[in-house]
Amino acid sequence: MTNDAITTDMASTDKITGADLISWGHRPGRSFPDLLRMAETAQAQGLTPNAIRSMLDAELPPPPPPALPLQSGLSFYSNITAEDADEVKNVADVTETMRVLMQTPTIVAGAIMPDACPAGPLGTIPVGGVVAARNAIHPGMHSADICCSVMISDMGMADPAKVLDAATAVTHFGPGGRDNGQRFSVSLDLLDAFRANPFLNSAKMLQVAQSHMGTQGDGNHFLFVGRSRKTGRTAIVTHHGSRGPGAMLYRAGMEVAENYRRILSPATLKQNAWIPADSEDGRAYWEALQLIRRWTKANHNALHQAVVEKARFTLSDRFWNEHNFVFERGGLYYHGKGATPAWGGYAADANGLTLIPLNMAEPVLIVKGSDAPHALGFSPHGAGRNFSRTEHKRRMAGMTAEAMLKAETNGLDIRFHAGGIDPSELPSSYKRADAVVRQIKDYGLAEIEDYIDPYGCLMAGDVAPFWRTGKRTRR
């Protein structure tokens, strides 16, 4: 049945629906509710369906461009060396997923870091992966843990045991947010900015933005206490992302990107769908990313300041950096998934130094990035994995979690805040720290300025998965 026939068959009293708008050539999107309201108002004023259709013709979107085909033969930079059998398989898997990823029509360059490891179905950007895209923001390439990041505070000559005790008393690990009466404040200015953005303006988003402030989640997120090898001063380092707000923005972004994928490039894998950066949706999503970045930085700051106030320490210095985010540079959008920007001025609050944590028993590196072209200006974000959490548990070979913890972290104060020992976060589940450090130097990705040697750390521990609790955990 043709569109004209549909319109002719409609009685003037039939309510115009979204299906009618689609049959007239309108595409679902953010303007759809406004179009329906215009149609309802016109119908109430006595206009016929044909007259309403003619009126709305002025709002028709331009015809879609021809579908973009996948690319072929686009290479990427590899900054990783296989040093054992596990690494050989890991590098092969990362290389293959990058090969498929590079077929995405928007991508112009890619790179992998020494900590690279697969992070989903074939063609998904790996942890330790970087891609540069033209006029495109790919929500799947910054992942659900938007703006996962690390912050360090210099606590002077404070006793690290007292710092860790204070942190244990004030932080929040595990699923969900803080209960009423225990919540940290969120600036009214930031909440107002959320309300002004179409991706962030919902009652649920605003509620989660408030209840998740001052929380760290679970998985590999941590609060680390150690001493500077250069100065002997105590420092705390927090690692977490944007929690519930970021996860909600990710889901909304993926839905919008999927709408564009169906029109612009149906051949592109769903996880690599994109929002055109120059579209109304793209501008709103970019702004939403910056607001989520502000929220995440405020979350780090809130936890650090709470530790300072709890133990009445003196704070000397503080800085941070993100490693799951999108950065605009030279007209391209650089997506780092578990990769740290390593060029000066990548953000207004960048100070030239970034952090690379390795594992709970190894130092956190303070580095100055080298802006290496063969790494697209990035450096590693950590140690990465050579095999999954499940595989690590299988390899425990009958050892108890308690025995492994003692063997791998002897002398350190390791605490699991929300559950029992999580063996999948022990040092043996990660790549060898010395190999990652060596490859950072070998590939010229960063210069190490200092080492924060560990005293101890806090992690969530082995908490129940969200499908048992009804709350998402690994954010």
Side-chain angles (χ1 to χ4, degrees), residues 387-405 408 421-426 428-429 462:
F387 39 78
S388 68
R389 289 179 169 89
T390 300
E391 173 63 14
H392 178 258
K393 289 181 179 180
R394 187 189 70 79
R395 295 186 182 195
M396 288 172 62
M399 286 188 68
T400 65
E402 290 77 10
M404 290 187 69
L405 176 65
E408 296 182 30
I421 297 169
D422 182 356
S424 70
E425 290 301 329
L426 296 180
S428 57
S429 69
D462 191 13

Side-chain angles (χ1 to χ4, degrees), residues 307-327:
V307 175
V308 170
E309 294 176 4
K310 177 70 176 177
R312 301 179 181 176
F313 299 129
T314 299
L315 180 66
S316 298
D317 193 18
R318 179 181 296 168
F319 67 88
W320 83 309
N321 64 267
E322 58 270 60
H323 48 241
N324 276 14
F325 207 61
V326 186
F327 308 87

